[in-house]
Amino acid sequence: MNWLGSLQQLGRAIMLPTMVLPAAAILLSLGSLPWSNWGMSTVAEVSTYAGQGIFYFMPYLFAVGVAWGLSNQAGPAGLAALAGMFTYDRVVLHLGDGSVQPATLIGILLGIVAGVAHNRFKHIKLPEAIQFFGGSRFVLLFMGLFSALFAWVMLGTAPLLQDALDGLFRVVDRSQGIGLFLYGVLYRVLTAFGLHHILNNIFWFQLGNYTTPDGAVIQGDLPRFFAGDPTAGTFMAGLFPIMMFALPAIAFAIIQEAREDLKPKIRKTFVRAALVCFLTGVSEQIEFAFLFASPYLFAVHAVMSGLAMTLTAALGIHHGFSYSAGAIDFFLNLHLSRRAWLLIPIGIGYGIVYYHLFRWAIRRFQIPTPGREEGSELGDWAGNIPYQAPLILQALGGKENIVQVQACITRLRLTVRNDREIDTAQLKNLGSAGIIKLGGGNVQVVFGTYSELIREEIDKLLLRDLPQVLFSAPVQGRMLPIEDVPDHIFAAKLVGDGVAFIPEKGELVSPVFGKVMHIYPTMHAIGIATPEGIEVLIHIGIDTSQLKGMFAAAVEAGDNVEPGQLLITFDLDDLREHAASLATPMVITNPERVKSWSYAPFKNVRRGQSSVMSVVLHESNGGVES
């Protein structure tokens, strides 16, 4: 695995523990309410201590989360990291002078060591007499010993490391906004690679110190903000105008610049994306709509984001969030902010600029944003994930190509054997907003907030070993449900179940591996048997059995065929004139063999395009010999 791929895994692992922070923010907000006036002061105390407890134990959460993420969700690795944190805590507490305390950076370091140690030693074999300590149990033993030594070393080096972080904070603080500008730009750029969590951990959890009234030392912009530090929030405030106003404005610009025939779908998709970004700060669905189409426009967006950080700092605005800079966090944490009301007019101004800038750029440079070309619009996934997952897996190169599949909030994070096996165009048709290949087989596929559900379905498929048949598109044109065919015999599935196509070119190719069973005398239809025992009928047009001389076969009965191989050519113009309909059904005539069906989106397809339909079979009972 190359270094960029390693950072990808680390970035995802670091992000995992931050998922508990919204709970801390809600608890602290509840604790700030005047419960004593209502005779329920205990509620305020419980909420406040509970919220503070999450922040206090964040180093432990980071240790477990990082180890768990780096070890492909192995429980023993997380347990080993937690044991390491306990060991470290006891040593520095009793041998230190109080200046060395568990910090998120320590948790991350111990989590990395535990995760790497688990991957390295989980199968270790020891002499038989002590094999009890072999395997994954050895990781626990190793981490206990390593953490004791590490804590002893850190007694002398932790103050030096903290001085270096304090020096970095002073440099950024004295740079008159330049440091904040660079942070804002880097934040946006690293978001594209899914590595922004590594950067954020330094600025949000490491830089700056604040001593609470009870003597506790709090580190990092985010914990200091929730602890009541009036100087905290500078590394978060500038994100609110971008997340709440600028990015939703891009979504509305994309809607306005979409083609009229596609605008209803685009409006549904991007109004939802704008609302998600405004409320929660999850922005990838919008950003990936133009990231690959116009990298220069994304660079402008990164610069504008850096300027927002500088502007909010210059105006003395301090605001923070538990998860991201959306409206929920904006209002939930408003009581801890300073001059946060200024973020609203700044955000409105940013929204106006972004809206007009992006509309002009999309039109002027003909940027192919969603709705201006056929492709994915991040459609409605909610009920279709179990049916789309087999097609997504195939577009990723199939089971054999998958080494590891994980997910964060908005993207699948994969390690594959060969990233050239990935069908980028098909993933876009299946709902992907963007694909990033980091090298070394490390790939990210952005599916929005349904990514974790897609990962779960793919995991199920990886564990399932039922026979499966994948169908390519037999023609170039538009795919439609079999029920929409204007013929009651096909529409009622009396011949079989499957899909249909409206061809745009007079060529029919094989959708599967198999053997030609028969070709009808007028050559308007062909039957193919697959090695798995599936019988496929492809019927060109409706009421075409009497149209002689319009079709020409390129194969004969008994021939072996493969996906994309030419089967029949036909005169599309004559067919359009004489046939009742161009609808071309592709049906399985023995559907009792099929356990489950999966379909690609019913939209335009290319001839030979992989995975327009997938079926999982019941236990195999033999097929046709090739």
Side-chain angles (χ1 to χ4, degrees):
M1 182 178 298
N2 66 348
W3 67 270
L4 202 54
S6 300
L7 288 178
Q8 173 189 229
Q9 274 198 308
L10 180 60
R12 178 191 177 275
I14 287 177
M15 181 202 66
L16 183 65
T18 63
M19 295 297 97
V20 75
L21 289 176
I26 293 172
L27 288 167
L28 291 174
S29 295
L30 287 174
S32 67
L33 296 176
W35 294 101
S36 58
N37 296 340
W38 305 328
M40 294 184 289
S41 57
T42 303
V43 175
E45 294 175 353
V46 170
S47 299
T48 300
Y49 287 129
Q52 291 174 348
I54 291 176
F55 280 106
Y56 179 81
F57 287 104
M58 278 305 295
Y60 298 84
L61 295 174
F62 271 104
V64 174
V66 169
W68 191 74
L70 293 181
S71 62
N72 196 22
Q73 305 173 9
L79 185 61
L82 186 61
M85 282 299 298
F86 288 145
T87 303
Y88 178 90
D89 179 61
R90 291 294 91 185
V91 172
V92 299
L93 176 65
H94 291 285
L95 299 182
D97 57 4
S99 62
V100 180
Q101 299 180 9
T104 55
L105 180 60
I106 299 301
I108 291 171
L109 291 174
L110 289 177
I112 292 173
V113 173
V116 172
H118 179 272
N119 296 336
R120 175 65 179 83
F121 299 125
K122 61 184 177 182
H123 298 304
I124 191 172
K125 293 182 179 180
L126 300 176
E128 184 176 355
I130 55 174
Q131 178 53 32
F132 174 80
F133 296 104
S136 59
R137 289 183 293 270
F138 180 80
V139 182
L140 289 163
L141 174 63
F142 171 82
M143 282 303 297
L145 300 175
F146 173 84
S147 299
L149 177 62
F150 178 72
W152 178 66
V153 172
M154 288 301 293
L155 287 172
T157 58
L160 300 177
L161 181 61
Q162 188 57 53
D163 287 343
L165 291 173
D166 291 341
L168 175 61
F169 179 73
R170 287 192 295 269
V171 169
V172 174
D173 190 48
R174 295 171 183 173
S175 62
Q176 300 298 319
I178 296 177
L180 284 166
F181 171 79
L182 293 175
Y183 166 74
V185 172
L186 281 173
Y187 178 94
R188 292 262 68 87
V189 171
L190 291 177
T191 297
F193 299 96
L195 303 177
H196 52 298
H197 302 294
I198 298 175
L199 176 74
N200 290 340
N201 188 270
I202 296 173
F203 285 88
W204 292 355
F205 293 98
Q206 311 296 333
L207 295 188
N209 293 303
Y210 173 65
T211 304
T212 64
D214 59 2
V217 177
I218 308 297
Q219 295 177 335
D221 201 47
L222 193 151
R224 288 190 294 113
F225 176 78
F226 283 99
D229 184 354
T231 67
T234 54
F235 293 102
M236 295 180 283
L239 296 173
F240 283 100
I242 302 299
M243 301 299 192
M244 291 175 59
F245 297 95
L247 285 164
I250 296 175
F252 288 109
I254 290 173
I255 293 170
Q256 291 302 314
E257 292 302 319
R259 284 172 15 198
E260 288 300 322
D261 58 322
L262 296 177
K263 192 169 287 187
K265 278 187 176 180
I266 295 298
R267 181 180 294 111
K268 177 182 177 182
T269 298
F270 278 89
V271 165
R272 184 191 302 122
L275 184 62
V276 168
C277 189
F278 174 77
L279 291 176
T280 68
V282 175
S283 62
E284 279 91 340
Q285 286 182 324
I286 299 173
E287 288 182 301
F288 275 82
F290 67 94
L291 169 61
F292 298 108
S294 180
Y296 296 109
L297 199 55
F298 188 83
V300 172
H301 168 51
V303 172
M304 293 285 287
S305 299
L307 292 174
M309 299 294 297
T310 302
L311 177 61
T312 54
L315 293 175
I317 302 172
H318 296 264
H319 202 2
F321 46 78
S322 60
Y323 168 64
S324 189
I328 294 175
D329 261 302
F330 179 88
F331 292 105
L332 186 65
N333 307 317
L334 194 59
H335 63 287
L336 296 171
S337 67
R338 292 177 58 200
R339 310 192 76 192
W341 63 270
L342 286 172
L343 294 172
I344 302 299
I346 292 173
I348 292 173
Y350 255 76
I352 293 172
V353 170
Y354 265 64
Y355 176 77
H356 290 287
L357 171 63
F358 272 75
R359 285 203 65 181
W360 171 82
I362 291 170
R363 192 183 311 115
R364 173 67 176 81
F365 301 107
Q366 294 298 303
I367 299 172
T369 50
R372 294 174 63 84
E373 62 170 357
E374 289 295 338
S376 166
E377 292 94 25
L378 293 173
D380 186 2
W381 275 90
N384 297 325
I385 293 174
Y387 310 105
Q388 302 281 23
L391 302 179
I392 293 173
L393 178 59
Q394 181 60 25
L396 291 171
K399 289 183 180 181
E400 298 77 13
N401 198 38
I402 303 297
V403 176
Q404 185 182 78
V405 55
Q406 297 176 329
C408 60
I409 298 170
T410 57
R411 64 188 81 190
L412 295 179
R413 294 173 180 257
L414 303 128
T415 303
V416 297
R417 290 184 171 85
N418 185 357
D419 58 19
R420 294 182 180 179
E421 296 292 324
I422 295 176
D423 189 338
T424 302
Q426 179 65 355
L427 285 172
K428 184 177 181 182
N429 286 330
L430 290 167
S432 167
I435 300 166
I436 301 173
K437 296 181 179 181
L438 300 174
N442 296 284
V443 179
Q444 298 177 2
V445 186
V446 179
F447 278 112
T449 51
Y450 292 115
S451 296
E452 179 61 31
L453 298 178
I454 296 172
R455 181 200 63 78
E456 292 177 0
E457 292 299 326
I458 290 178
D459 278 344
K460 294 177 185 177
L461 293 170
L462 293 175
L463 296 173
R464 191 185 302 165
D465 196 27
L466 294 176
Q468 183 179 15
V469 181
L470 299 160
F471 290 77
S472 301
V475 297
Q476 178 173 311
R478 179 169 57 89
M479 188 169 81
L480 64 154
I482 193 68
E483 295 85 356
D484 291 353
V485 173
D487 180 273
H488 74 279
I489 294 177
F490 281 109
K493 304 180 181 179
L494 298 180
V495 178
D497 201 354
V499 295
F501 304 85
I502 303 295
E504 297 176 352
K505 191 175 181 180
E507 293 182 341
L508 180 79
V509 301
S510 177
V512 291
F513 290 99
K515 178 182 287 187
V516 177
M517 294 189 298
H518 52 264
I519 302 177
Y520 287 77
T522 55
M523 304 180 194
H524 72 288
I526 187 170
I528 301 173
T530 73
E532 297 83 5
I534 290 293
E535 297 173 359
V536 184
L537 171 67
I538 311 173
H539 191 286
I540 304 173
I542 300 300
D543 294 340
T544 55
S545 60
Q546 303 302 318
L547 300 180
K548 298 181 179 180
M550 197 171 294
F551 307 93
V555 294
E556 298 178 351
D559 287 353
N560 292 321
V561 294
E562 60 184 31
Q565 181 176 338
L566 182 65
L567 301 177
I568 298 173
T569 59
F570 54 93
D571 190 318
L572 184 62
D573 292 332
D574 282 353
L575 191 67
R576 185 179 290 110
E577 181 178 350
H578 295 97
S581 170
L582 290 177
T584 299
M586 178 181 71
V587 298
I588 295 176
T589 57
N590 55 343
E592 68 279 358
R593 291 276 291 110
V594 178
K595 181 181 179 68
S596 64
W597 306 71
S598 302
Y599 305 100
F602 293 102
K603 55 172 59 174
N604 284 357
V605 295
R606 301 187 312 276
R607 181 191 63 181
Q609 175 180 317
S610 62
S611 302
V612 296
M613 184 174 79
S614 170
V615 296
V616 174
L617 309 182
H618 294 288
E619 293 299 329
S620 178
N621 59 2
V624 176
E625 293 183 3
S626 297

